[in-house]
Amino acid sequence: LSAFPPFTQQVSLSFLGSCRATAWNPKGSYSAGDRVTFNGSTVEAVQSHTGNGDSNWIYAPSLWKQV
C-alpha cells in the first residue's frame, strides 16, 4: 500500500459557441460566433445580426468570415 492518497484530477470543460454548422438562412438571426454553411463553405458570424432576406448579405465581411 502506498502512503500517498489516490491521484484524482478534476477536469472542467466549457464550449464557446457551437461547432455544428447549419444551412444559412437569409432571414435567420445569428449571434457572433455562429457557423453556417453556404455553397459548400462554412462561414462564421462576425457580429450578431438578423437577415432581412437579402441573399447577398452572406458575402458581407462585416457579418461573415470564412473558416
Side-chain angles (χ1 to χ4, degrees), residues 7-59:
F7 177 74
T8 60
Q9 181 179 10
Q10 287 185 316
V11 177
S12 176
L13 300 175
S14 64
F15 296 93
L16 301 175
S18 174
C19 295
R20 187 171 154 222
T22 58
W24 179 66
N25 176 350
K27 291 185 178 182
S29 292
Y30 299 99
S31 298
D34 284 351
R35 291 185 175 190
V36 298
T37 57
F38 179 76
N39 283 347
S41 296
T42 301
V43 294
E44 183 177 298
V46 174
Q47 60 178 304
S48 298
H49 66 278
T50 298
N52 68 358
D54 185 341
S55 61
N56 290 312
W57 277 28
I58 194 70
Y59 302 110

